[in-house]
Amino acid sequence: MFVAPAIAQPPAPLAPPSAPAAARGAAEARGLPAGAGAAASGFRPCAAAVVTGGFFAVVEARRRHRRQRRLHDVAAAGRGACARCAAGATVVAEPAEDSPSQDEVDLPPALRGGSLWSEFGVHPPLGSSALQLRRFPDRGLGWVATRDIEEGEALLAVPLKDILCAPMGPDSEAELAAALLQVLGEGPRFDGSPGKEPVDEIWSKYTGAAFPSAPAGAALTWNEADIEALEFPSVVGQLKAYRAHLLQSAEQVAAFTGAPLDRCTWAVNAVVTRSFGEDHLGRVLAPFADLFNDRPMAPAIWAAKRAMNPEYPVTAWTFAETDGEDGQKWFLMRSMAPVAVGQEVAICYGEGSHAEVHVFSSPAELVEAVANLSGRTHSMEPRLELLTNATNAAAPLAVRPGGLGASAHLLSCMEVALVDDVDLPSVREVWSIGAGHAVLQPGVPEDRRAALRKEVLELASQVVTQRLSELTPASADEDEIRDTEAKLAAGAESEDGEERLRRRHLAARFRLGAKGVLSQFLRRAAEDEPTF
Ligand SMILES: C[S@@+](CC[C@H](N)C(=O)[O-])C[C@H]1O[C@@H](n2cnc3c(N)ncnc32)[C@H](O)[C@@H]1O
């Protein structure tokens, strides 16, 4: 399986922000930046969690004094990409069933044992946590459960003084990247005094050990040809736009910090691939919390869990305060699902990280296609109005994995485009379990409903078949995966060559996964009694 490059939408997930505790020490004192980029399409941001009980009984109060300074020089020029979702701009795959190395020796020396963890004051001490850092063949570092973990269980908490954050907004990637360079001694002082900010040794050790020089999945690491290899026009278009935005961010960071452009690109890349969007904090870089890999969760699964448990969180991460006298503030990670001992503890990066394949780029494109394919001559104007004014008008017109119900938004919109004038006033919003959000539905009588749904599925199948015919066959992707795996196993002659192979491999897995989602849709739609 795969995950579509999630260009634009974590519910409030990975997205980023300001200077480290440093920057943040002051942020904490002055009141944290208001979370601006909170809820996306139907999701609500987390409320701050208040952590009760003994989990944070021992608090190491290491205080550093630095002041936050906004990156004033970063222009707020109009941007094509969504500011909430920097970390969404990565191409990642659903964790493969591969086993991590069993040995700490495969970890960077600075990450072995728990010394850096305790230097940062992460809680609880690594030895009493349920986590063990390991290296995975296809996705770098990640956490493994040392014992069974329950859904909702606290995994680790980073003191707020040790995170970097920037207010959410169009420049949050640039601001956070600049703050990262500042704590590494490569940018101006946070307090505005002359000279460079002194190196924060702990952050320097951590980034040196944990941050890859060029993250394989990041939009910024990919050149135009790499991106075009993803084949799907909507994905290619979004990634190109986001890459352009990030390149501009790197230039802004260079102008502000005076650091070389390649360092600024590295910092923006780090932000894009490792930061979190949090309602109270903005865009956040949090040591050790950024080592969880992605396991996508479809909106419908999230909605079902939320229906059963109103406390089920939007994201695995949240701002938390310890109750009691010390009133410590934390960046807290919780498990979104039960994990058995020995299994990887992964998190869902956000709403946009589930696999889905966009079929239409807009409601206007959808109604035009429906009119052409069905031969309907009724005016599409009132239908377009309904589609564009619906609560979830921004939801992607996409085929999603997980049965036809998961694609209910796409299919219902097509139904609205098809429905006769007489039934138009009956269109209303209904909750779709499969989609995980409300969709439009014409209130046609049951005897006509079956015929309408049959026609919708036939038309949708025609469109999907057409989309598939414009793509290379899946067998070519399988060949590419085999070829790149063999070459990687044999060892590339250079680091650059290895990175290129990894990008080719990831692109092929992405294409294969997306085509699989479309093919599965066609199979389901051709079943005798398809339902959605
Ligand atoms: C926040 S970091 C997670 C820690 C990372 N594995 C590391 O070694 O630092 C996010 C990066 O991990 C990799 N990653 C995360 N989840 C993945 C997945 N399901 N499949 C492949 N790579 C993944 C991608 O390179 C992504 O940009």
Side-chain angles (χ1 to χ4, degrees):
M1 277 302 294
F2 78 110
V3 167
I7 302 300
Q9 43 220 325
L14 298 188
S18 80
R24 289 149 316 76
E28 201 178 320
R30 291 205 302 259
L32 294 158
S41 53
F43 287 101
R44 309 230 118 250
C46 283
V50 175
V51 182
T52 54
F55 184 76
F56 298 112
V58 184
V59 175
E60 192 183 330
R62 181 170 60 84
R63 292 259 168 221
R64 284 181 279 158
H65 304 284
R66 285 178 240 153
R67 280 191 253 139
Q68 179 170 22
R69 176 175 159 183
R70 293 281 313 275
L71 182 56
H72 300 298
D73 298 24
V74 174
R79 292 283 170 68
C82 165
R84 274 186 285 110
C85 59
T90 63
V91 182
V92 295
E94 194 163 292
E97 292 300 314
D98 51 4
S99 310
S101 75
Q102 294 302 306
D103 213 328
E104 246 206 347
V105 171
D106 293 316
L107 301 178
L111 295 177
R112 293 180 204 154
S115 58
L116 200 49
W117 169 290
S118 58
E119 277 184 76
F120 267 122
V122 182
H123 201 83
L126 186 57
S128 10
S129 80
L131 302 171
Q132 193 174 48
L133 194 59
R134 286 293 177 262
R135 184 172 290 286
F136 290 79
D138 78 327
R139 51 190 179 277
L141 303 173
W143 292 111
V144 172
T146 56
R147 56 170 168 74
D148 290 349
I149 294 174
E150 289 175 22
E151 182 171 293
E153 193 175 326
L155 297 168
L156 65 84
V158 187
L160 228 51
K161 65 184 169 54
D162 284 320
I163 66 167
L164 303 184
C165 62
M168 205 62 83
D171 296 319
S172 55
E173 298 103 334
E175 293 186 13
L176 189 56
L180 176 62
L181 289 174
Q182 284 173 279
V183 296
L184 297 177
E186 299 172 54
R189 285 176 176 269
F190 287 113
D191 63 8
S193 59
K196 299 257 178 216
E197 179 72 17
V199 179
D200 180 312
E201 294 298 340
I202 307 180
W203 265 97
S204 175
K205 250 194 270 179
Y206 183 70
T207 54
F211 286 24
S213 53
L220 200 46
T221 322
W222 291 46
N223 59 35
E224 299 259 318
D226 291 332
I227 293 175
E228 268 155 26
L230 294 170
E231 233 185 342
F232 286 77
S234 63
V235 172
V236 170
Q238 281 180 307
L239 260 189
K240 279 189 177 174
Y242 199 66
R243 179 173 178 273
H245 162 65
L246 296 178
L247 284 172
Q248 198 189 357
S249 297
E251 280 162 16
Q252 289 170 330
V253 174
F256 173 72
T257 58
L261 188 59
D262 64 334
R263 285 297 288 163
C264 299
T265 305
W266 169 85
V268 170
N269 239 339
V271 165
V272 163
T273 53
R274 323 185 66 86
S275 63
F276 302 84
E278 206 286 329
D279 195 29
H280 297 77
L281 305 171
R283 202 168 278 273
V284 174
L285 276 175
F288 294 100
D290 64 359
L291 292 172
F292 289 95
N293 287 315
D294 185 28
R295 180 172 293 122
M297 183 188 285
I301 305 283
W302 181 88
K305 283 179 176 277
R306 183 75 154 205
M308 283 189 288
N309 171 16
E311 302 296 312
Y312 190 78
V314 176
T315 59
W317 56 94
T318 188
F319 167 65
E321 280 177 71
T322 316
D323 59 357
E325 279 175 19
D326 56 27
Q328 268 276 9
K329 298 187 174 76
W330 306 86
F331 187 76
L332 173 70
M333 303 294 293
R334 289 166 295 179
S335 182
M336 298 286 277
V339 187
V341 60
Q343 297 298 304
E344 178 170 16
V345 188
I347 61 173
C348 175
Y349 283 5
E351 186 188 346
S353 84
H354 58 272
E356 60 189 14
V357 183
H358 292 228
V359 174
F360 299 113
S361 59
S362 66
E365 195 192 339
L366 179 145
V367 294
E368 192 187 333
V370 170
N372 290 339
L373 291 169
S374 70
R376 293 285 201 285
T377 53
H378 53 221
S379 166
M380 283 294 169
E381 250 174 60
R383 290 156 178 85
L384 191 53
E385 202 177 317
L386 282 169
L387 298 185
T388 47
N389 290 330
T391 306
N392 291 308
L397 296 162
V399 167
R400 289 172 167 169
L404 297 177
S407 307
H409 177 62
L410 168 73
L411 298 171
S412 303
C413 288
M414 294 180 75
E415 224 176 77
V416 171
L418 273 179
V419 80
D420 293 340
D421 284 338
V422 65
D423 293 316
L424 215 45
S426 71
V427 173
R428 62 196 189 286
E429 296 201 356
V430 297
W431 181 261
S432 160
I433 295 175
H437 56 75
V439 300
L440 292 176
Q441 190 181 79
V444 293
E446 273 313 309
D447 53 333
R448 281 192 284 128
R449 166 156 301 282
L452 181 61
R453 298 217 143 178
K454 187 163 178 280
E455 188 176 5
V456 163
L457 284 173
E458 280 166 8
L459 295 188
S461 298
Q462 283 181 44
V463 176
V464 169
T465 305
Q466 173 66 28
R467 298 280 184 272
L468 271 173
S469 73
E470 292 157 2
L471 302 165
T472 53
S475 56
D477 304 327
E478 286 163 353
D479 291 345
E480 172 82 342
I481 291 170
R482 271 193 295 274
D483 182 50
T484 46
E485 279 175 356
K487 287 185 174 140
L488 280 166
E493 59 294 346
S494 66
E495 198 180 311
D496 186 42
E498 185 180 327
E499 286 305 326
R500 251 176 306 161
L501 280 173
R502 287 197 188 288
R503 291 198 290 271
R504 276 178 53 197
H505 182 246
L506 197 49
R509 282 179 64 201
F510 168 78
R511 293 193 302 265
L512 186 64
K515 287 168 197 170
V517 169
L518 293 180
S519 302
Q520 190 199 41
F521 175 89
L522 289 179
R523 281 195 298 275
R524 291 282 173 95
E527 282 170 5
D528 281 347
E529 289 185 17
T531 50
F532 62 90

